[in-house]
Amino acid sequence: MIKSLLSLASLLIALTINADDIVIKSPGYFTEPIRDGHQLFPDSLVLSTDAEEIEIPSMGMFGRLGNYGKFPNLRKITFGDVDYLPGGLLSDMPNLEEVVFNGMIGHFDCTFISNCPKLKTITFKGPIVTTGGPGFLYNLPNLEKVVFESVVVALGIDLATRHLCPKLNGITCNGAFLKVYNDSLTLAATIDQLKADPRLIADMERIAKWQSEVLRAKNPKWMRKWQYQAAKILQPILTELDSPEADSLKSSMEYAWNLGDDVKNELEVLKASPAYSKLDSVPDIKFQYANPTDSLLTMSRERFNLDSIAGNGDDISRIKNLLYWVHNNISHDGSNGLAPGGRNLRNTYDSALRDSCGYNCRALAICLAEALLAEGIPARYITCLPKAWDTDNDCHVICVAWNESLGKWIWVDPTFAAYVTDENGVMLHPGEVRYRLQHDMPLILNEDANWNNIRTETKEDYLDYYMAKNLYIIEANTLNQAEPEGESSHKQGFHVALVPQGITYPYSNYNITDEEWFWQSPELK
C-alpha cells in the first residue's frame, strides 16, 4: 500500500513538472552575437506555464513567447536589456494585463503585441534605438496606456483605427523621441529639451556605446545597417551636445561604412556609383522602333480603339492618356509573372480579364510600350536593376516614351501610373532622375501616382527608396515592337545595359557606359 502511494506521488510530481515547466530555446533569428563578446541567448531559460508573473533576464534576443503556449495565468511580464525583439513577441495571452520593458532595447519589430484581450498597460522604461513599422500593436481592446520613459532614436510606430486598440488615446512620452514616423502622433524632441535633461543625455550616450559595438561586430547581419542609419540621427545630436561619445560613434560609423555597401541605404549606394564614360567610337548597335502600320500594332490599335484613348491633344497628353489606360485596365501583381502566351497587349489584357488577375511590372511595361508604338510614339520598356542584382531579386520595369516637343525621352511607369518632373514641371527620363537623385536636386512625382488605385505612392517611397535602388543598371531592348520577347514568330532584338564604369551585368548582350548614346533620339541610326 505504501509502495503504491509512493509510486502515485512520484507520478504526480513528474506530471506537474512536465505540465508547468518549459525550456525556452533560442529562436535562431541570429546565429552569431549581435555584439561581439555578448551572449546571444542563455544556455538555459525555464519558464512555468502556470506563472502569473514572468521576468525575462537580459540577453541578445528573445523569440515569440506564444510559440510555447498561451500562458493562461500570466498577468505581467517584464524584460531586461535585449538587443532584438521580434514581431509577434506576445500574442493570444488571455489574462495578460501589464508588459514592462525595464532595460534597453536595440530594435523591436512591427506587430509587436497582439490579441491580448485584458492587456491594459505597456511601459518602456529604458532607451530604445529603433522600432519596426507602423503596425505596432493589434487587437488590444482594453489597452489604455503605452508609456515611453526614455530616449527613442527612431520611432517608426503609428496608431490607427485599423489597429483595433479603441481605448488607447495616443502614447505617453516622458522621455524624448529623436525621429518620428508620424509627427501627428508625437513630436520629435528639440535640442533644448535634450540639453535640459542629464538623464536623457546619459541614455543617448549609452545607446551610442551600444551602436558602436553593433557597427564593429563580426556579423550582426541586417542590424548593422539599421544601426548605422540610426546613428546618422544620433551622432549629430551628440556632437551638438558636446558629448564625448560623438567622436567615438563617428569613428565606428566610418569603420562600418568602409566595410562596403553593408550599411548604406539605397540612395547612398546610388550616390557612390562610379560615373558613366563616353565611348570613343559609336557601337555597331541600333535601336529600332516598329512602325504603327506593323500588323500586330494595327490589331491592338483597332481592337482597343487606341486613337480615341490617346486623344487629339499634344504629345504629352497622348502619352499620359495611354499610361493611365494601361494602369487602369491591367492590374499589377508582382507574384504572378507574365501572362501565358504571347507577350503582347491583347493577350495580356484578355488573360487578366479572363482570370481576374494582374501581372508583373514587366508585363505592364511591355503593354504600354506597344500601345505607344501603335500610336506612332517611339517607346522602350526599361529594366531598372540594383547594384546587388545577383542577391537582390527585386528589380522594376518601366517605359520611356519619346516626347517630340521636349526632344527627349520621358519616364512613364504603368505599374504606378507614375511620371517624374523637375521643379519647373518638365518631364524627365530615367537618366535625368538618376542624376538628380545622386545630386540632391528637386524631383516631383505626380500626385496621382498609385498602386492599383488602392495605395498612393509618395516621392520618398517611390524615388528616394525604391527607384534609387533600381536605377544602378538600366537595360533596354534594341528592337521595340509588339512581342519584344518570349513566344513570337518575328525577329527579336538584343538587350543593352547602361552600366557605371567598372560594372558588368552578365545577363545583357551588351554593356555600355555611354549614357548619351543610350538615350539617343529614335532618329539617330
Side-chain angles (χ1 to χ4, degrees):
M1 179 67 176
I2 293 174
K3 186 176 181 180
S4 298
L5 288 173
L6 288 174
S7 298
L8 180 59
S10 298
L11 179 61
L12 289 173
I13 291 170
L15 288 172
T16 301
I17 291 173
N18 291 335
D20 293 344
D21 292 338
I22 289 181
V23 178
I24 306 298
K25 299 179 181 179
S26 169
Y29 304 129
F30 293 87
T31 55
E32 297 181 53
I34 296 168
R35 295 175 294 145
D36 294 346
H38 293 266
Q39 188 181 38
L40 195 58
F41 195 83
D43 294 332
S44 178
L45 180 61
V46 180
L47 300 179
S48 170
T49 56
D50 291 332
E52 293 188 9
E53 184 170 343
I54 289 175
E55 291 190 16
I56 305 297
S58 296
M59 64 181 68
M61 64 175 174
F62 191 76
R64 297 180 177 93
L65 192 60
N67 288 349
Y68 296 91
K70 297 184 181 301
F71 290 83
N73 300 321
L74 184 63
R75 285 176 169 75
K76 180 178 180 180
I77 184 167
T78 303
F79 290 84
D81 296 330
V82 61
D83 292 336
Y84 171 70
L85 292 169
L89 175 72
L90 303 171
S91 62
D92 301 301
M93 295 185 174
N95 288 298
L96 184 65
E97 296 176 359
E98 183 179 6
V99 181
V100 179
F101 298 93
N102 274 331
M104 183 178 129
I105 301 174
H107 177 83
F108 69 74
D109 275 337
C110 52
T111 318
F112 195 42
I113 303 175
S114 62
N115 302 320
C116 297
K118 293 187 178 180
L119 183 62
K120 293 181 180 179
T121 64
I122 302 171
T123 306
F124 298 92
K125 292 187 176 181
I128 302 169
V129 192
T130 55
T131 76
F136 173 39
L137 306 169
Y138 181 74
N139 193 24
L140 304 172
N142 284 295
L143 183 65
E144 297 173 354
K145 292 179 66 177
V146 175
V147 182
F148 293 87
E149 299 284 0
S150 184
V151 171
V152 183
V153 176
L155 187 75
I157 68 170
D158 198 1
L159 298 173
T161 303
R162 67 181 184 277
H163 297 142
L164 305 181
C165 301
K167 293 185 178 180
L168 183 61
N169 185 22
I171 62 176
T172 301
C173 176
N174 296 326
F177 305 136
L178 305 189
K179 182 178 180 180
V180 296
Y181 168 80
N182 183 352
D183 58 11
S184 66
L185 178 66
T186 182
L187 295 174
T190 66
I191 196 69
D192 289 335
Q193 289 173 317
L194 298 171
K195 284 180 177 179
D197 195 328
R199 176 181 68 92
L200 297 180
I201 294 174
D203 281 347
M204 286 188 288
E205 291 177 337
R206 181 184 177 191
I207 289 173
K209 293 175 182 177
W210 181 88
Q211 284 183 323
S212 286
E213 289 187 278
V214 175
L215 293 174
R216 293 178 178 273
K218 180 182 177 182
N219 184 23
K221 297 175 76 171
W222 55 266
M223 188 73 84
R224 191 186 334 258
K225 178 175 182 177
W226 275 75
Q227 296 315 318
Y228 180 87
Q229 298 301 325
K232 286 167 59 179
I233 301 168
L234 178 61
Q235 197 277 335
I237 293 173
L238 291 175
T239 298
E240 196 163 351
L241 294 171
D242 295 321
S243 168
E245 292 299 325
D247 289 342
S248 177
L249 181 56
K250 183 178 180 181
S251 176
S252 296
M253 292 171 69
E254 290 171 352
Y255 172 86
W257 180 272
N258 290 329
L259 292 175
D261 291 338
D262 196 15
V263 301
K264 298 179 179 72
N265 65 26
E266 290 71 20
L267 189 53
E268 288 167 340
V269 171
L270 185 65
K271 286 182 177 181
S273 165
Y276 293 129
S277 63
K278 189 170 178 58
L279 298 172
D280 293 331
S281 60
V282 177
D284 187 22
I285 307 170
K286 294 181 179 180
F287 286 108
Q288 300 176 57
Y289 305 89
N291 192 288
T293 58
D294 173 90
S295 60
L296 293 177
L297 296 181
T298 298
M299 289 185 351
S300 289
R301 184 173 57 254
E302 293 177 351
R303 158 77 188 280
F304 298 110
N305 195 11
L306 294 179
D307 290 347
S308 176
I309 291 166
N312 297 317
D314 61 22
D315 50 358
I316 289 180
S317 71
R318 296 175 71 231
I319 291 168
K320 287 181 180 179
N321 287 341
L322 292 168
L323 164 69
Y324 288 122
W325 181 80
V326 171
H327 173 77
N328 292 329
N329 283 276
I330 306 173
S331 63
H332 172 255
D333 182 350
S335 65
N336 203 31
L338 295 103
R343 295 184 186 178
N344 61 60
L345 175 58
R346 288 166 291 107
N347 179 60
T348 302
Y349 179 97
D350 291 342
S351 295
L353 186 64
R354 179 187 66 243
D355 299 331
S356 299
C357 67
Y359 293 107
N360 68 11
C361 57
R362 192 174 199 84
L364 271 67
I366 287 172
C367 286
L368 177 56
E370 180 180 333
L372 290 162
L373 290 166
E375 284 299 304
I377 301 169
R380 306 182 195 173
Y381 66 99
I382 299 290
T383 304
C384 304
L385 295 143
K387 181 181 182 182
W389 54 265
D390 53 342
T391 57
D392 184 350
N393 293 324
D394 172 74
C395 66
H396 190 49
V397 187
I398 65 173
C399 280
V400 290
W402 180 256
N403 183 257
E404 194 65 40
S405 60
L406 294 174
K408 67 176 184 178
W409 297 100
I410 60 173
W411 173 308
V412 277
D413 180 357
T415 297
F416 297 103
Y419 54 88
V420 187
T421 70
D422 65 13
E423 63 273 29
N424 298 313
V426 178
M427 297 179 76
L428 303 172
H429 68 63
E432 294 171 314
V433 172
R434 187 183 194 273
Y435 182 87
R436 283 176 168 262
L437 284 169
Q438 288 179 310
H439 295 85
D440 297 319
M441 297 172 69
L443 287 168
I444 310 298
L445 178 68
N446 55 305
E447 291 183 356
D448 56 350
N450 70 87
W451 179 77
N452 284 342
N453 293 301
I454 294 172
R455 184 188 70 232
T456 299
E457 286 298 307
T458 66
K459 183 260 183 186
E460 290 72 23
D461 286 342
Y462 180 68
L463 292 177
D464 297 349
Y465 165 67
Y466 187 56
M467 293 311 300
K469 176 179 82 73
N470 287 322
L471 284 173
Y472 202 89
I473 298 169
I474 303 173
E475 185 184 58
N477 196 325
T478 58
L479 182 48
N480 299 278
Q481 58 187 339
E483 298 177 4
E485 58 183 43
E487 299 178 18
S488 183
S489 59
H490 59 220
K491 177 184 175 182
Q492 297 290 326
F494 302 99
H495 287 99
V496 179
L498 177 62
V499 298
Q501 294 181 72
I503 301 297
T504 299
Y505 179 59
Y507 294 108
S508 202
N509 301 102
Y510 301 95
N511 280 214
I512 298 293
T513 61
D514 191 332
E515 62 176 330
E516 183 178 335
W517 180 89
F518 189 83
W519 297 117
Q520 63 186 263
S521 71
E523 290 78 25
L524 184 61
K525 301 296 185 185

